[in-house]
Amino acid sequence: MRDKQAAGDITAVRAWLDEADHVLVTAGAGLTAAAGYDYGDTGRFKELFPALYRLGLRTRYMVGVPLPPELLWGYWAVHISDIRFDPRPNRLYQDLHALVKDKDTWVMTSNVDALFARNAFDPERIFTPQGDYGRYQCAIPCSRQTWSTKPLVEQLLKAYDPETGLITDPETLPHCANCGADVEINVRTGPEFVDDSYLPAADRLQDWLNAIPAEHRLLVLEFGAGFNTPGVIRRPGEHITRHLPGARLVRVNPGHPDLPSDLTGRALPVAARADHLIGTLTRPSSATSTYGDYCE
C-alpha cells in the first residue's frame, strides 16, 4: 500500500510540475538536513566540536547558549565555514535546480546557508527572511550596517584550537567597527535583527507574484518546513495558494505533511524526505529503492 501511495504522489507531483508556468520553491530546515547538514546529527557535532561535546552539548542549535566569547566564536567559525562556505557542490540542491530550471522560478527559504545560491539558483530570485550566515552585525545594533563573515571566519580559524574549541588570540575576537560593541551573526533571533539587505528581495518576490496572470499555473513546492517558525514558510505558502486562482501547493514533509482543509484539491501532502522525492523525480530508475524509504 505504501508503494502504491508513493507512486501516486510521484505521478501527481510530476504532472503538477509539468503543468506549472511558474514555480515558487519554499524550504525549511528539513531540506538542509536532507542535503547532509543535519543540525541534530550528534556524530557530526562530535566530529566538528569535540570540546563542546565534552561539555555536554550535542547539536548545532546554539543560538542563545551562554558561552564565553572565545568558545562561542570558535563554534561560529567552524560551523559557518562548514555549512556556509563549503565550496563543494551539493547534489540535492543541484537535482532540485534541474527539476525547475526551465520554469519561471523563485525561492523563499528560512535556511541561512546560501545553498540555493551556491548551487545554480539565481541569487536575485532568492528571499531569505531569516538572514544569512554570510553576514554579521552590531548586537545593539548601532546602525543598519552588516559585514561579510568570510574574512572574519578565515581570521578566526587561524586562531582556533580544535582541542579546546577556543579562539586563542583575543585580538581576533570581533567587535562592531562603528561603536566597539559585541557583534552577532546576521540571523533573526530577536528585534535587534538587521533585515535591510533582505527586504529588496521580498519586494521583488511580491512584484513577481502580483504579475502572475490569473490563468497561469503557479506551483508552490515546499520542502521540510515544520512548526518551529510556521509563519515564515508554511503559512505564507498556504496563503499564496489560497489567494492566487491558479496556484497549487505540494508539501513535502515526512512528519508534518498535513494541509488546511480549504486547500483540498489544490494541495498535495507528500510524507517523504526531500532527498527521496527529488531523487525519484530526477532519476526515475531509482524509484524502487526510493519507495522503500519513502515515509521515513
Side-chain angles (χ1 to χ4, degrees):
M1 179 63 71
R2 185 175 67 170
D3 285 355
K4 290 181 180 179
Q5 179 65 50
D9 289 347
I10 292 295
T11 299
V13 173
R14 184 175 284 119
W16 284 13
L17 186 57
D18 288 344
E19 294 167 5
D21 302 293
H22 317 271
V23 176
L24 174 61
V25 177
T26 66
L31 184 62
T32 289
Y37 296 97
D38 185 350
Y39 280 34
D41 184 341
T42 302
R44 180 62 172 159
F45 184 88
K46 182 179 182 180
E47 177 185 349
L48 288 174
F49 312 104
L52 295 178
Y53 189 88
R54 289 194 298 271
L55 290 175
L57 299 172
R58 294 294 182 266
T59 77
R60 299 201 203 198
Y61 294 105
M62 296 281 289
V63 173
V65 175
L67 293 175
E70 295 84 357
L71 200 54
L72 178 65
W73 284 104
Y75 162 77
W76 278 123
V78 174
H79 174 59
I80 293 174
S81 176
D82 175 61
I83 202 167
R84 176 62 175 80
F85 295 120
D86 184 348
R88 296 171 297 177
N90 187 276
R91 182 176 184 179
L92 179 62
Y93 277 81
Q94 292 191 330
D95 284 349
L96 178 54
H97 179 261
L99 282 177
V100 301
K101 65 183 177 65
D102 295 327
K103 302 290 183 178
D104 177 29
T105 302
W106 256 87
V107 171
M108 180 171 67
T109 179
S110 60
N111 299 332
V112 295
D113 46 38
L115 277 164
F116 280 103
R118 289 154 52 198
N119 287 279
F121 286 85
D122 183 354
E124 293 299 307
R125 286 183 158 224
I126 302 172
F127 175 40
T128 58
Q130 301 295 78
D132 185 346
Y133 280 154
R135 311 295 299 175
Y136 70 102
Q137 64 168 83
C138 176
I140 293 175
C142 69
S143 75
R144 309 302 294 177
Q145 189 174 3
T146 63
W147 303 276
S148 170
T149 58
K150 190 169 181 59
L152 171 62
V153 166
E154 291 172 349
Q155 177 179 313
L156 289 170
L157 288 176
K158 291 177 182 177
Y160 176 70
D161 179 359
E163 180 60 26
T164 64
L166 297 171
I167 300 299
T168 57
D169 180 2
E171 294 297 318
T172 64
L173 296 175
H175 296 89
C176 177
N178 297 323
C179 71
D182 291 339
V183 296
E184 59 189 27
I185 305 304
N186 184 218
V187 298
R188 189 185 300 277
T189 59
E192 69 279 0
F193 173 57
V194 177
D195 62 356
D196 298 43
S197 60
Y198 313 107
L199 297 180
D203 292 338
R204 293 195 301 273
L205 173 57
Q206 188 61 61
D207 290 343
W208 177 76
L209 290 169
N210 291 341
I212 294 176
E215 68 274 14
H216 280 204
R217 285 284 189 192
L218 167 69
L219 180 60
V220 180
L221 198 52
E222 178 191 294
F223 295 98
F227 287 101
N228 286 338
T229 53
V232 179
I233 298 298
R234 283 180 74 101
R235 302 294 182 247
E238 294 167 3
H239 176 81
I240 291 167
T241 306
R242 200 173 277 124
H243 288 87
L244 288 182
R248 291 166 164 169
L249 168 64
V250 172
R251 171 162 287 156
V252 184
N253 194 306
H256 303 286
D258 48 298
L259 290 156
S261 59
D262 67 308
L263 292 180
T264 300
R266 299 179 58 198
L268 177 67
V270 181
R273 277 178 24 182
D275 52 334
H276 292 170
L277 178 67
I278 294 169
T280 302
L281 288 170
T282 54
R283 293 181 295 279
S285 61
S286 69
T288 300
S289 61
T290 299
Y291 291 158
D293 294 327
Y294 194 76
C295 294
E296 284 188 1

